[in-house]
Amino acid sequence: MPNTNMVLVVNAGSSSIKFSLYPAAAGGDARVDEAFGGGLIEGIGIQPQFKARIAGQTVEESWPQGRSLDHEHFYGFLLDWLAQTLPQAAIAAAGHRVVHGGTAFAAPTLVDGAVLAELERLVPLAPLHQPHNLAAIRALGARAPGIPQVACFDTAFHRSIPARDQLYGLPLSFAEEGLRRYGFHGLSYEFIAGALPTYDADAAAGRTIVAHLGNGASLCALQHGRSRACTMGFSTLDGLIMGTRCGNIDPGALIYLLREKGMDVAALEKLLYKESGLLGLSGLSADMRDLLASDKPEAGQAVEMFCDRVAQQVAALAAQLGGLDALVFTAGIGERSAPIRAAICRRLAWLGAELDDAANAAGGPRIGTAGSRIGLWIIPTDEESMIARQTRALLAGRRQPRAATRA
Ligand code: ADP
């Protein structure tokens, strides 16, 4: 068991809390990017269950169905459980995934009352996620006020997107109010941007598109390692077809649904976030594995549409980059599905993508042929270790005089 200081990484959702523990500093045989362990509490509000694996030991606990336990209860439980399980270790800091940092937060930020109030004002921009992220910060702060808490944003990495590309074709006053493109999955993209030089130094210094294909899916165009464009915009609905989210849609269709189908905001939100995408198209499942295994024509069509969209939007981002040096696949589908990678690369043959089928089947990391005009890679992402890194870096900076962390 680790006898050291730890960074607690928290990813809080509406019904689940995922956590992991990282060394607060390199030392002994501790490798800073390797978690000691972690776990999750899921089914909050339904049938809460706790599962964790720490120092080689697995622990499970459940609570009676229907017992109304709020999030605060579970943070208390988690801290008590950590104190009991790892008595010789201390939590040096907590790093939180916070979905929205608006335009102001361009870097990880130490949370105090003023920061929390600013993040609260962003709730209308991400009403499904931000409240839970902030509830986690508040609950931990109440239970353990001495632990510094760091907010790590999904939007921050995209603040380098040129101002013009952050606009929609609406009157400018809407952008000033906050209706603009933000981009998401930034923690994943920052991790990949940091790893890319060790795989492909030329692409890292040039133009790369990263395809984060998981349950949520998006593309990011990297120029010299910085975000130049993202297929997600104002919300996490935009861009690619996802597990249950619709991706690009004609805004006229939404007006139709509101006016002709009598949908209210809650029904529309449910349709677009939870009932669309691969699930809605296939009528079968949101999980790509189920669709690939099915012979239902609608499942096959959903898979084709998923790959069409990725290829179309790679082309759009390549236009923004003025060319393309490499394409990187990451996240659940991107890292694990050889047939999806192959189907996407076939659609990008005109751009010079030439897949090495054996390398693709073997899982990479290099999956392009020697003659491929663009580098093709599989690079596993690790958002949790990115949060741990950002938290550590911010705390290290605090010990020395340092400029403000917010842009
Ligand atoms: P999240 O976006 O929730 O973090 P992940 O990045 O873990 O999700 O991706 C989860 C998704 O990856 C699953 O829903 C599933 O569709 C897909 N997936 C995982 N393994 C495979 C596989 N071997 N083949 C195809 N798809 C896979």
Side-chain angles (χ1 to χ4, degrees):
M1 272 205 287
N3 181 6
T4 183
N5 283 346
M6 299 177 298
V7 171
L8 172 66
V9 170
V10 180
N11 185 352
S14 60
S15 65
S16 70
I17 302 164
K18 285 190 209 148
F19 72 95
S20 35
L21 292 162
Y22 286 83
D29 56 3
R31 280 193 269 163
V32 285
D33 280 341
E34 229 164 77
F36 290 133
L40 85 165
I41 298 166
E42 54 188 346
I44 298 174
I46 311 156
Q47 187 161 15
Q49 283 209 308
F50 173 67
K51 280 190 210 140
R53 192 168 167 76
I54 300 250
Q57 288 193 318
T58 305
V59 186
E60 290 192 28
E61 180 136 358
S62 56
W63 288 265
Q65 194 166 2
R67 210 174 132 198
S68 67
L69 297 166
D70 57 14
H71 274 65
E72 278 68 18
H73 171 91
F74 292 105
Y75 293 107
F77 167 84
L78 183 59
L79 290 177
D80 290 345
W81 182 82
L82 287 172
Q84 274 166 25
T85 313
L86 304 169
Q88 68 279 55
I91 298 174
H96 294 263
R97 179 184 202 156
V98 176
V99 69
H100 221 302
T103 48
F105 294 92
T109 301
L110 189 69
V111 180
D112 58 18
V115 168
L116 203 52
E118 274 187 66
L119 296 178
E120 197 72 56
R121 277 199 284 280
L122 298 174
V123 164
L125 301 183
L128 301 182
H129 297 101
Q130 191 89 341
H132 307 295
N133 305 154
L134 302 187
I137 295 175
R138 243 181 263 107
L140 276 181
R143 263 307 287 258
I147 298 178
Q149 303 202 70
V150 178
C152 302
F153 301 100
D154 265 323
T155 50
F157 185 64
H158 298 297
R159 300 285 41 84
S160 51
I161 294 175
R164 204 174 71 207
D165 291 330
Q166 295 184 34
L167 299 177
Y168 289 108
L170 291 168
L172 279 178
S173 58
F174 286 93
E176 283 148 23
E177 278 173 25
L179 216 171
R180 55 170 64 238
R181 299 187 70 88
Y182 293 97
F184 295 89
H185 284 142
L187 293 162
S188 172
Y189 292 128
E190 192 168 348
F191 180 90
I192 300 292
L196 191 57
T198 61
Y199 291 84
D200 188 335
D202 291 340
R207 302 154 301 182
T208 299
I209 292 175
V210 184
H212 178 111
L213 308 178
N215 230 335
S218 67
L219 305 176
C220 177
L222 295 177
Q223 198 155 34
H224 313 306
R226 302 181 78 208
S227 175
R228 169 69 183 74
C230 180
T231 56
M232 282 179 172
F234 174 73
S235 76
T236 57
L237 284 177
D238 203 4
L240 304 179
I241 288 172
M242 308 178 215
T244 60
R245 287 175 242 161
C246 58
N248 278 2
I249 186 167
D250 180 343
L254 309 183
I255 297 170
Y256 168 84
L257 290 171
L258 292 170
R259 183 189 288 137
E260 302 299 328
K261 304 299 274 186
M263 281 193 173
D264 61 12
V265 172
L268 192 58
E269 192 168 71
K270 186 158 168 257
L271 171 71
L272 302 177
Y273 278 95
K274 306 264 188 224
E275 299 170 349
S276 297
L278 298 177
L279 175 65
L281 283 165
S282 69
L284 178 71
S285 169
D287 193 313
M288 187 58 91
R289 285 165 291 197
D290 296 336
L291 304 194
L292 289 169
S294 166
D295 51 15
K296 196 177 169 193
E298 291 83 357
Q301 175 172 269
V303 173
E304 295 299 319
M305 285 178 66
F306 177 88
C307 299
D308 288 343
R309 276 291 173 96
V310 174
Q312 289 160 8
Q313 296 190 28
V314 164
L317 294 197
Q320 280 177 283
L321 287 171
L324 190 61
D325 300 308
L327 173 64
V328 174
F329 292 95
T330 195
I333 300 170
E335 290 169 30
R336 295 191 204 102
S337 183
I340 297 294
R341 291 191 299 264
I344 292 167
C345 290
R346 266 199 305 278
R347 286 161 169 78
L348 295 171
W350 63 274
L351 202 59
E354 200 179 285
L355 193 69
D356 176 333
D357 291 320
N360 184 41
R366 180 196 285 276
I367 57 171
T369 63
S372 182
R373 271 189 283 129
I374 56 175
L376 300 172
W377 298 95
I378 303 169
I379 304 180
T381 193
D382 191 345
E383 290 154 293
E384 273 77 26
S385 87
M386 193 68 228
I387 295 171
R389 258 191 238 173
Q390 292 188 346
T391 302
R392 247 185 249 121
L394 194 136
L395 292 181
R398 255 175 97 211
R399 285 184 211 114
Q400 296 141 25
R402 188 166 188 261
T405 52
R406 248 179 298 153

